[in-house]
Amino acid sequence: MLIFLDFPTSLLCAMLPRTTNHGPDTMFQNYFKIALRNLLQHRAFSLINISGLAIGLTAGILIFLFLQHEMSYDRFHAHADRIYRVVNERHGEGKVFYRAATPPGYAATMKSEFPEVIEAVRFFDMGKILVEHDDRRFFEENFLLADSTVLKVFSFELLAGDPNTALTSPSTVVISKKMAQKYFGDADPVGQILRLQTRRDFKITGVMADLPENSHLKFDFLGSFSSLYNLESAERLRNFIWQQFTTYLLLPENYDSKKLEAKLPAYIAKYAEPQTSKFGFSYKPFLQPLTDVHLRSVQLDFDIAQKGDIHHVYAFAMVAAFILLIACFNFMNLSTARAANRAKEVGLRKVVGAQRGQLVHQFLSESILMTILSLAIALGLVELLLPAFNGLTGKTLTLNYARNWLAAFGLVSLSLAVGILAGSYPAFFLSRFQPVNVLKGSSFFSPRGTKAGLRRILVVTQFTISLALIVGTFIVLEQLHFLKNKKLGFEKEQIVVLPIRNDEMRRNCEGIKNELLTRPEIVSATVFYGTPGGMLAGDDIRFPGSPTHWSTYMILLDRDYLKTFGMEIIAGRGFSHEFSTDAD
């Protein structure tokens, strides 16, 4: 008995091989040709699926670049795994304060007390300071002082100068390549003089390469720590009260930092408590790995580090995973939804001798081809969107395949993984069709079948994740709106802050203020140190006769400060011109 089947010629041509050579190369060429024909034959479906995957991959790649950059901070240092920052828990007034700032006495005493401390480095932030050379004068913010051992501990590249002696003498400074160009152009800056605040001269002893963006320390000027001895007493630079320094330790290879941490309570009792107990507080220091500083310092105040947040890394990683899952589920749902249209193709392939494994390979090859096309489109979109994404994140991210082998390997692996994952269910599902059922026209998509159930699960999961991301987006937008519009307790609109850096202007600040008030556009004026929400300094205070101390943030202000900023007095009164004793 003979059975005659009537199928469209295009379908037969798409399914039947055009060569009798069944070698592996020819087999894969056949898979590729048939996959390409199917994509071209169903252009709308292919466009939707490829564009959906491309958008998902674009978002995933951009987030991956951001996360990779965040996780790379400070790993360029040769001793990154051996450098630790000393961080303080400050206990007092029944509270615990977490501070990156440490007293100056830590560095020298820890090195002498503990043989495992190979080197100790202190940093001191000079704040915004006037730097001048000849007719070039600029206020610079990235000016730090550091111990002479800094270039032994950290891998800051020195382009000119001797790293062993560059910062050993007082009033010496190493500047970045960018600052060398800014102040000296193409001339050699080594040996030249920079004047600070119009009264202190620093000799340039070296030029260093501009710091990598993934350094938590940001500076363009690195002065010698011994310069502080010209400004402060030696006794004060050895005490355990003044908390305005950042201390780093270099430990031996493969040394367990917990062993050193276990010795710190006895160290504090010996060196710090005789001084801190007089003020009613104490320290509990611990060691923070250098590679944790950027992402795990959110809770620390008095910090000079450029800080991120490890929770943001987790959140972005989860968002990237969700976006890729949505893209995969979307692909799988669309592929299975179109499976009924390919039932006859599967049946006829099996009739002419196709094995299930060959069908699986065919459908997986189609899926992988689509992901490769999606990846190519995604890479183009990434290059197009990177400038805007860098502006949004404040980074300078690039997709350099030659230098960033991890990114290249990750992209290839991601495309293969997404292709296999997204095409696995359609491939194994379609390859199970029985020829006799196909040719009889039986339905393969019973609403109550396991296939339909799995598709429902995929659709529900896809929409659940999408809804969660949308709700999360609205929550973030509401939080940003709250931050921008929350009443802060003072008026911030129509107020301009003019920094005064000149000593002569400081001495005549009241006269300048009165002159400004003669202008009809100026309603009120005040002279102060410290903007609202900021501070000039931190200190401990107590009432006379009380043993209790409180930590305070302080600003210095005149009588018109509260009025100018529209602050409300809820008890007592503000400073007044009517009471001459207020000035005291």
Side-chain angles (χ1 to χ4, degrees):
M1 181 176 65
L2 298 177
I3 299 177
F4 293 92
L5 302 175
D6 184 18
F7 288 103
T9 305
S10 59
L11 179 61
L12 290 172
C13 293
M15 294 184 295
L16 298 178
R18 300 190 178 186
T19 177
T20 56
N21 186 350
H22 298 291
D25 293 341
T26 304
M27 180 175 63
F28 285 114
Q29 290 177 9
N30 189 45
Y31 289 157
F32 177 78
K33 289 178 181 178
I34 296 175
L36 189 59
R37 288 173 191 160
N38 277 317
L39 294 180
L40 295 176
Q41 187 176 0
H42 305 281
R43 292 183 180 87
F45 165 80
S46 302
L47 178 63
I48 294 172
N49 246 3
I50 292 174
S51 61
L53 277 175
I55 293 172
L57 288 171
T58 300
I61 293 170
L62 289 174
I63 294 175
F64 167 78
L65 290 176
F66 173 77
L67 297 182
Q68 184 188 42
H69 181 271
E70 288 293 286
M71 297 295 292
S72 71
Y73 265 75
D74 299 304
R75 299 181 187 275
F76 62 90
H77 293 290
H79 305 312
D81 59 334
R82 299 165 52 194
I83 302 174
Y84 292 83
R85 183 170 73 165
V86 184
V87 181
N88 264 339
E89 285 184 17
R90 184 185 183 280
H91 296 256
E93 310 108 44
K95 301 178 181 178
V96 178
F97 302 90
Y98 297 93
R99 292 179 173 172
T102 57
Y106 271 9
T109 53
M110 283 187 174
K111 186 175 180 181
S112 64
E113 185 77 9
F114 306 118
E116 54 266 59
V117 176
I118 299 175
E119 295 290 355
V121 178
R122 292 166 294 183
F123 287 92
F124 179 81
D125 188 0
M126 296 288 285
K128 183 175 285 189
I129 190 168
L130 179 65
V131 178
E132 58 180 307
H133 175 75
D134 293 340
D135 59 341
R136 302 189 180 188
R137 309 174 71 203
F138 301 94
F139 284 105
E140 303 289 357
E141 293 184 328
N142 299 322
F143 200 120
L144 301 181
L145 301 183
D147 284 301
S148 59
T149 54
V150 62
L151 297 177
K152 298 179 182 178
V153 176
F154 295 91
S155 301
F156 299 127
E157 182 184 359
L158 212 60
L159 303 177
D162 185 352
N164 296 315
T165 60
L167 296 175
T168 54
S169 302
S171 300
T172 54
V173 64
V174 172
I175 65 175
S176 68
K177 181 181 179 181
K178 180 174 63 176
M179 291 299 108
Q181 181 67 32
K182 179 178 179 178
Y183 284 90
F184 301 98
D186 296 329
D188 183 8
V190 176
Q192 299 290 330
I193 300 297
L194 291 177
R195 174 157 290 185
L196 274 59
Q197 296 294 94
T198 70
R199 62 179 181 270
R200 293 193 296 273
D201 290 342
F202 273 68
K203 181 180 179 180
I204 299 174
T205 54
V207 178
M208 62 183 172
D210 295 331
L211 294 184
E213 190 177 277
N214 57 347
S215 171
H216 83 273
L217 289 169
K218 300 296 182 185
F219 56 85
D220 289 307
F221 302 83
L222 194 60
S224 58
F225 191 87
S226 56
S227 306
L228 272 180
Y229 288 93
N230 297 330
L231 307 174
E232 302 289 343
S233 67
E235 180 64 27
R236 192 170 189 227
L237 289 172
R238 289 194 299 266
N239 75 26
F240 288 83
I241 304 298
W242 185 16
Q243 301 171 67
Q244 203 170 335
F245 301 82
T246 309
T247 304
Y248 295 84
L249 306 177
L250 178 64
L251 303 183
E253 290 186 25
N254 304 317
Y255 179 78
D256 184 1
S257 62
K258 297 297 181 183
K259 295 180 180 179
L260 178 57
E261 279 190 344
K263 301 178 182 180
L264 293 181
Y267 162 82
I268 290 297
K270 178 180 178 180
Y271 288 96
E273 283 186 6
Q275 298 182 38
T276 60
S277 60
K278 299 176 183 179
F279 295 91
F281 70 90
S282 63
Y283 297 133
K284 183 183 177 183
F286 59 94
L287 302 181
Q288 183 182 36
L290 178 68
T291 52
D292 284 354
V293 171
H294 175 65
L295 290 176
R296 302 181 187 274
S297 301
V298 175
Q299 80 281 13
L300 301 174
D301 55 14
F302 294 99
D303 198 350
I304 64 174
Q306 301 292 313
K307 295 194 286 190
D309 190 342
I310 189 63
H311 296 97
H312 293 168
V313 172
Y314 296 151
F316 276 109
M318 188 175 298
V319 168
F322 281 166
I323 291 174
L324 288 175
L325 281 176
I326 290 173
C328 290
F329 289 170
N330 182 68
F331 180 91
M332 293 169 72
N333 288 328
L334 289 175
S335 298
T336 53
R338 202 174 68 88
N341 296 330
R342 304 189 68 177
K344 291 182 179 180
E345 176 188 340
V346 173
L348 185 57
R349 282 179 177 276
K350 286 195 171 184
V351 166
V352 297
Q355 301 297 315
R356 186 186 180 194
Q358 293 174 316
L359 294 174
V360 170
H361 291 158
Q362 174 63 53
F363 291 120
L364 285 178
S365 65
E366 291 183 15
S367 176
I368 293 174
L369 176 61
M370 293 181 72
T371 58
I372 291 174
L373 293 175
S374 299
L375 179 61
I377 296 173
L379 293 177
L381 290 175
V382 167
E383 294 292 345
L384 184 65
L385 297 175
L386 258 182
F389 188 70
N390 285 335
L392 179 66
T393 60
K395 308 291 184 182
T396 309
L397 306 176
T398 58
L399 192 58
N400 190 320
Y401 309 102
R403 297 177 60 184
N404 195 345
W405 63 268
L406 181 60
F409 177 77
L411 290 176
V412 174
S413 301
L414 180 65
S415 63
L416 293 176
V418 171
I420 294 172
L421 177 63
S424 59
Y425 174 56
F428 288 103
F429 173 43
L430 291 172
S431 64
R432 292 178 59 186
F433 289 178
Q434 298 299 322
V436 63
N437 293 328
V438 174
L439 299 180
K440 288 181 178 180
S442 300
S443 174
F444 301 96
F445 297 94
S446 171
R448 298 181 182 179
T450 57
K451 289 85 176 177
L454 181 57
R455 288 179 58 198
R456 289 194 188 98
I457 293 174
L458 293 177
V459 171
V460 171
T461 304
Q462 177 182 352
F463 277 92
T464 300
I465 297 174
S466 300
L467 185 60
L469 291 177
I470 293 171
V471 171
T473 301
F474 277 109
I475 292 174
V476 171
L477 290 175
E478 285 296 317
Q479 289 292 321
L480 292 175
H481 182 267
F482 173 82
L483 289 174
K484 292 176 64 177
N485 297 283
K486 169 67 178 175
K487 296 295 183 181
L488 301 178
F490 65 91
E491 297 297 331
K492 56 187 176 65
E493 304 297 336
Q494 300 299 106
I495 292 181
V496 177
V497 178
L498 303 175
I500 297 177
R501 302 293 180 182
N502 182 279
D503 288 339
E504 184 177 348
M505 293 179 67
R506 283 195 182 100
R507 289 190 290 268
N508 192 35
C509 59
E510 283 295 329
I512 295 173
K513 171 185 169 182
N514 293 330
E515 180 68 24
L516 291 172
L517 286 172
T518 63
R519 304 286 300 181
E521 306 93 334
I522 298 176
V523 178
S524 179
T526 180
V527 179
F528 60 91
Y529 285 103
T531 54
M535 67 173 184
L536 170 66
D539 213 335
D540 289 334
I541 64 169
R542 67 179 178 86
F543 293 108
S546 171
T548 305
H549 294 252
W550 289 271
S551 290
T552 61
Y553 297 151
M554 298 188 299
I555 58 177
L556 303 180
L557 49 89
D558 70 2
R559 296 180 178 92
D560 297 315
Y561 185 90
L562 301 177
K563 180 184 72 173
T564 302
F565 281 97
M567 294 183 176
E568 179 185 0
I569 299 295
I570 61 174
R573 65 175 178 83
F575 297 110
S576 172
H577 290 277
E578 298 177 4
F579 297 87
S580 59
T581 54
D582 281 2
D584 298 329

